[in-house]
Amino acid sequence: MTARSFDAVVLDIEGTTAPIAFVHEVLFPYAAAHLDEFLAANADAPEVRAALALLARERAAEREPGAPDGDLAAYGQWLMARDRKSTGLKALQGMIWRDGYHAGVVTAELYPDVAPALARWRADGVVIASYSSGSIAAQQLLYRHAAAAGDLTPHFTAWFDTTTGPKRAPASYAHIAAALAIAPARIVFVSDVVEELAAARAAGLRGVLSLRPGNAPIADAAGFPTVTALDQLLG
């Protein structure tokens, strides 16, 4: 596959551009450790109140037994322990990470092939977008604070998160193609999750499976081409 065989690349983050270990061993624990104190200090901030309102609606619709009742901080911790894709929680996590990035306590670990691939795609006129379950703000923070490469956000044209829709729903990818104004068949979506790639394929996008060290074993690639580094998309 060469850069001229597609017009846009949509990138997952965890297991695609950033190691799963960084997300689960650095970002998630940092958010869990600071959630209570962050809410105590910032509960009246408009962006925090908006995220908490989302979280409260999600709690009201919660169906899993054992979820904490009434205490949204405890509910957030409960969701994090289950790695739930909660839009309200993701917004709060992004704010906590923002504080960590700005304080220099957190820097983003990306695979070494990511920055060169982004630069070459951009130079070739390829549209680059990010689609993650993490909030758009969290995505931008991660790419702005890459430990080895610095600010990579200028390479990106568009950002998508769970407000676009679930990552395993074909309609989400149809929405992304429409937002990019590019024919689905000219868009490549790269992810480490076969079910996400299947949803993208159902919407007409071309899926590529990311095989990185530390990713979950894949028993069946479902016919998707695989890469172990992003530069392999360049031919």
Side-chain angles (χ1 to χ4, degrees), residues 17-176:
T17 62
I20 287 177
F22 169 70
V23 177
H24 285 265
E25 296 174 14
V26 177
L27 289 183
F28 286 173
Y30 186 87
H34 291 84
L35 177 61
D36 290 4
E37 65 183 80
F38 176 82
L39 290 179
N42 300 281
D44 292 332
E47 63 178 354
V48 175
R49 291 172 62 183
L52 287 173
L54 280 176
L55 200 60
R57 288 198 289 272
E58 293 172 26
R59 177 62 189 89
E62 182 62 59
R63 294 293 179 265
E64 185 175 336
D69 192 14
D71 185 342
L72 290 178
Y75 181 54
Q77 296 285 5
W78 186 83
L79 290 173
M80 281 191 278
R82 287 153 181 77
D83 193 21
R84 290 269 290 272
K85 311 304 182 186
S86 158
T87 301
L89 174 63
K90 294 297 182 182
L92 290 172
Q93 286 176 319
M95 297 173 209
I96 295 168
W97 293 331
R98 177 184 62 201
D99 289 351
Y101 283 119
H102 289 173
V105 178
V106 179
T107 55
E109 179 184 350
L110 300 176
Y111 296 112
D113 56 275
V114 172
L118 294 177
R120 183 169 175 183
W121 286 335
R122 186 183 181 199
D124 286 344
V126 174
V127 171
I128 305 169
S130 176
Y131 182 29
S132 173
S133 59
S135 68
I136 289 173
Q139 296 172 43
Q140 293 172 340
L141 283 166
L142 181 139
Y143 285 112
R144 189 172 291 122
H145 295 88
D151 186 0
L152 298 174
T153 58
H155 295 303
F156 289 86
T157 297
W159 309 84
F160 303 96
D161 60 12
T162 54
T163 61
T164 295
K167 294 187 72 182
R168 300 188 183 194
S172 302
Y173 299 90
H175 177 85
I176 288 172

Side-chain angles (χ1 to χ4, degrees), residues 29 45 100 204 212:
R212 299 284 199 174

Side-chain angles (χ1 to χ4, degrees), residues 12-16 18-25 109 111 192-193 210-218 227-228:
D12 172 49
I13 290 179
E14 182 180 333
T16 299
I20 287 177
F22 169 70
V23 177
H24 285 265
E25 296 174 14
E109 179 184 350
Y111 296 112
D192 64 318
V193 179
S210 173
L211 300 178
R212 299 284 199 174
N215 285 10
I218 301 295
V227 293
T228 57

